[in-house]
């Protein structure tokens, strides 16, 4: 069941107005980036109470999801005398939601915050599960907390201005939901051109899958780890390209990770080869093939070593038994990690 804090709407301004009128906040900080300020803020501007609101627009991009930005937010909140009855509104993609939520959850030991996700990725993934945080020392989401927003308002209207590459990045997480939990959902997506998918319905369905898993295991002690399918290798790939360039979008890196981990699934958890090949074919066709430099092959074991699912320095991955059935805590050797990227690389040779 979906929590009351999660609101699907086709009229974001009306929802937000109702919410603000029924809660007495002392001050409001709206956090956005310069893109969401331009494209998304106009849709809610009229309902923001002018006398108590301020707005901060940071430059867009993952490279700003860092402690220096959070410090500047804490600084602004302190200087403007925000008290514990204040509210933060995070209007943007996963970067704004993760980081703004983290700043709010830690300022004065926590003030209310609401998330208004404006990317497909943030709607289907970052909107559920209460994970907040920042990147640190080059590692993704290295510092953070679990805390649910007071409200999440999901309105697909924001997708109208989202660049296609960003839309596709979110689609990777939707595909992951099918791969880990629902074979029918996966099949349904790969049968028709992805650009024409009915996003409003899909968002609700995907959020439902994620919420079901998160409710069963809120703090990722067990089952919730299945949501990390594709992310052990995917995060390593994302971190590498964040450092070395060209930067990959989150979903693009996770698409590489899902192909590599489908390979590991066949080797370690019995995913049939024809299913592995179908996954690889669709993901490479849809997301293109990323060239894997030798340097990444040299560094991937070290990068994967930072994964939060590891225990006692053993890499543990979430892998598929079949499409729609995922298992977790599977130990993966360094050799397997490297082999999985060689497998991914070989697909480019064939293409
Ligand atoms: N908390 C979680 O559970 C969770 C889950 C998945 C991903 N994440 C995090 O989310 C982040 C990635 O999120 P993202 O892909 O949304 O990235 P993002 O926040 O960087 O947004 C992507 C780009 O789209 C622009 N944009 C956003 N909405 C727009 C709109 N409606 N119109 C035009 N442009 C728009 C942004 O300015 C940015 O340039 C990563 O940091 C990842 O770690 C968190």
């Amino acid at each position: 069941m979906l929590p009351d804090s999660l609101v699907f709407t086709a009229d974001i301004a009306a929802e937000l107005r109702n919410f603000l009128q029924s809660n007495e906040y002392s001050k409001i900080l709206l956090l956005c980036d310069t893109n969401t300020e331009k494209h998304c803020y106009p849709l809610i501007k009229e309902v923001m109470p002018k006398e108590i609101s301020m707005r901060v627009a940071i430059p867009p991009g993952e490279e700003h999801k860092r402690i220096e930005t959070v410090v500047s937010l804490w600084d602004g909140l302190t200087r403007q005398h925000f008290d514990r009855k204040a509210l933060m509104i995070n209007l943007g993609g996963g970067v704004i939601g993760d980081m703004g939520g983290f700043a709010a959850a830690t300022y004065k030991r926590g003030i209310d915050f609401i998330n208004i996700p404006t990317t497909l990725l943030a709607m289907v993934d970052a909107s559920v599960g209460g994970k907040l945080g920042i990147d640190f020392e080059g590692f993704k989401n290295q510092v953070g907390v679990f805390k649910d927003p007071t409200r999440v308002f999901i309105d697909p209207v924001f997708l109208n201005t989202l660049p296609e590459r960003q839309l596709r990045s979110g689609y990777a997480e939707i595909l992951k939901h099918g791969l880990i939990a629902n074979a029918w959902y996966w099949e349904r997506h790969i049968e028709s051109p992805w650009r024409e998918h009915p996003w409003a319905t899909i968002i609700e369905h995907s959020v439902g899958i994620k919420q079901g898993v998160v409710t069963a295991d809120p703090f990722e002690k067990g089952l919730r780890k299945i949501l990390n399918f594709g992310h052990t290798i995917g995060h390593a790939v994302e971190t590498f390209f964040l450092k070395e360039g060209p930067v990959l979008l989150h979903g693009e890196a996770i698409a590489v990770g899902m192909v590599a981990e489908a390979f590991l699934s066949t080797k370690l958890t019995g995913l049939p080869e024809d299913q592995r090949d179908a996954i690889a074919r669709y993901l490479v066709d849809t997301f293109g093939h990323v060239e894997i430099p030798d340097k990444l092959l040299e560094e991937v074991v070290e990068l994967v070593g930072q994964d939060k699912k590891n225990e006692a320095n053993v890499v543990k991955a979430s892998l598929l038994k079949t499409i729609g059935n995922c298992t977790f805590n599977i130990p993966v050797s360094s050799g397997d990690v490297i082999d999985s990227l060689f497998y991914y690389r070989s697909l480019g040779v064939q293409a």
Side-chain angles (χ1 to χ4, degrees):
M1 231 202 23
L2 294 175
D4 294 341
S5 58
L6 199 57
V7 180
F8 294 97
T9 177
D11 189 347
I12 183 62
E15 284 295 343
L16 187 59
R17 181 185 290 112
N18 285 345
F19 173 81
L20 294 175
Q21 283 174 352
S22 51
N23 289 277
E24 283 193 8
Y25 286 107
S26 55
K27 282 179 191 274
I28 301 174
L29 174 69
L30 183 134
L31 176 68
C32 51
D33 65 33
T34 49
N35 290 329
T36 61
E37 180 178 50
K38 179 174 171 199
H39 297 293
C40 309
Y41 179 60
L43 276 67
I44 58 166
K45 185 177 175 184
E46 58 173 290
V47 304
M48 295 298 295
K50 287 186 193 55
E51 8 10 290
I52 58 163
S53 306
M54 44 181 280
R55 184 169 84 253
V56 171
I58 64 168
E62 183 76 27
E63 60 274 32
H64 299 285
K65 189 177 151 182
R66 59 177 190 216
I67 193 66
E68 289 80 1
T69 316
V70 175
V71 169
S72 72
L73 291 170
W74 287 330
D75 190 54
L77 291 166
T78 305
R79 283 175 195 278
Q80 298 293 328
H81 305 289
F82 274 61
D83 61 22
R84 295 198 60 190
K85 288 288 293 171
L87 173 73
M88 214 166 136
I89 299 179
N90 301 311
L91 178 71
V95 166
I96 293 293
D98 280 14
M99 184 170 53
F102 179 67
T106 45
Y107 178 71
K108 291 192 189 265
R109 298 205 182 86
I111 59 172
D112 279 6
F113 65 98
I114 65 178
N115 283 354
I116 307 179
T118 61
T119 64
L120 184 59
L121 186 88
M123 290 177 194
V124 295
D125 197 2
S127 64
V128 180
K131 281 188 181 178
L132 310 170
I134 49 168
D135 305 333
F136 186 66
E137 300 283 337
F139 294 106
K140 287 270 305 165
N141 303 323
Q142 186 78 344
V143 176
V145 295
F146 283 98
K147 189 174 179 202
D148 282 319
T150 306
R151 286 282 187 289
V152 179
F153 294 114
I154 298 182
D155 188 338
V157 71
F158 293 113
L159 301 181
N160 294 342
T161 55
L162 192 67
E164 187 176 280
R165 191 175 164 202
Q166 295 289 348
L167 191 72
R168 191 182 63 171
S169 174
Y171 181 46
E173 296 286 356
I174 290 170
L175 291 168
K176 181 197 75 182
H177 290 148
L179 289 173
I180 62 171
N182 188 329
W184 167 85
Y185 196 51
W186 159 262
E187 290 295 338
R188 187 188 139 179
H189 285 117
I190 68 171
E191 275 163 6
S192 61
W194 71 268
R195 291 178 187 80
E196 292 162 25
H197 285 344
W199 297 117
T201 318
I202 288 174
I203 291 164
E204 288 204 35
H205 199 104
S206 258
V207 165
I209 291 179
K210 179 160 183 189
Q211 184 64 44
V213 174
V214 167
T215 306
D217 175 22
F219 298 110
E220 204 165 305
K221 301 290 180 218
L223 181 73
R224 184 168 174 172
K225 293 179 186 177
I226 68 171
L227 292 167
N228 290 311
F229 173 66
H231 285 61
T232 300
I233 308 286
H235 267 163
V237 170
E238 188 176 11
T239 301
F240 177 85
F241 284 108
L242 196 58
K243 192 164 48 108
E244 301 286 334
V247 173
L248 286 184
L249 299 184
H250 181 70
E252 293 169 343
I254 296 317
V256 176
M258 288 194 287
V259 174
E261 293 181 28
F263 167 86
L264 293 176
S265 300
T266 296
K267 183 159 184 205
L268 301 173
T269 53
L271 177 73
E273 280 185 18
D274 61 330
Q275 295 193 10
R276 175 198 67 192
D277 294 344
I279 293 168
R281 204 166 36 244
Y282 183 73
L283 290 175
V284 171
D285 281 354
T286 306
F287 290 85
H289 189 264
V290 176
E291 201 174 314
I292 305 294
D294 289 344
K295 192 160 190 261
L296 172 53
L297 292 168
E298 285 157 21
E299 292 183 14
V300 66
V301 172
E302 165 71 20
L303 290 168
V304 164
Q306 281 289 331
D307 194 86
K308 285 181 276 299
K309 296 181 298 305
N310 297 347
E311 288 169 17
N313 289 330
V314 178
V315 173
K316 297 216 170 155
S318 303
L319 300 176
L320 303 177
K321 291 181 177 169
T322 60
I323 288 178
N325 184 356
C326 189
T327 183
F328 54 92
N329 279 351
I330 306 298
V332 178
S333 70
S334 302
D336 287 339
V337 167
I338 294 169
D339 284 351
S340 74
L341 277 185
F342 270 114
Y343 167 75
Y344 180 86
R345 195 193 236 185
S346 72
L347 299 169
V349 176
Q350 291 159 20

